[in-house]
Amino acid sequence: MGVKHGRDYGDILRDLTRAVESIPDSYLFFEMEPEEWRELPQESKLEVWEALAEDLFFALGNEPVIHVGSGVVIYDKEAHRINILVGDEDMESVELI
């Protein structure tokens, strides 16, 4: 299903991919071990982050709050954005329109 958006999906996916990179243990979403993650080449990590961003985009249409490792991804339907919270202070936002 996904979330409602007015921006180009490719642009949203690019921004969301960058945002989930800020979650230091985002690999836990795919039940990977820290050692497995460390051994992955950077190109493979980028592919995992993009797959995660894509999964989140579609899942947030049904579940507006999703925990990803130590982060939380929140679909703010009224503000037309996806917020990514990491810890108590760090926040990224991806505009949908």
Side-chain angles (χ1 to χ4, degrees):
M1 178 180 196
V3 299
K4 289 188 176 187
H5 61 287
R7 285 181 63 205
D8 179 71
Y9 173 72
D11 293 339
I12 293 170
L13 183 61
R14 181 193 66 234
D15 293 349
L16 188 53
T17 299
R18 283 189 202 135
V20 296
E21 285 180 46
S22 69
I23 303 172
D25 54 358
S26 59
Y27 57 86
L28 292 174
F29 186 81
F30 292 112
E31 299 180 0
M32 294 178 72
E33 295 295 326
E35 187 174 312
E36 289 177 286
W37 183 250
R38 280 191 298 272
E39 292 176 1
L40 275 182
Q42 186 63 23
E43 185 176 309
S44 296
K45 289 179 180 177
L46 292 172
E47 290 173 5
V48 170
W49 284 320
E50 184 173 329
L52 174 56
E54 203 163 15
D55 287 353
L56 289 170
F57 181 84
F58 289 100
L60 287 166
N62 294 322
E63 186 69 35
V65 177
I66 300 174
H67 292 269
V68 177
S70 59
V72 181
V73 182
I74 304 163
Y75 172 40
D76 185 343
K77 188 176 185 176
E78 293 176 11
H80 306 286
R81 83 176 109 220
I82 297 171
N83 295 312
I84 297 85
L85 305 175
V86 183
D88 294 332
E89 298 178 15
D90 294 332
M91 184 173 102
E92 300 270 343
S93 290
V94 175
E95 298 296 326
L96 299 171
I97 56 172

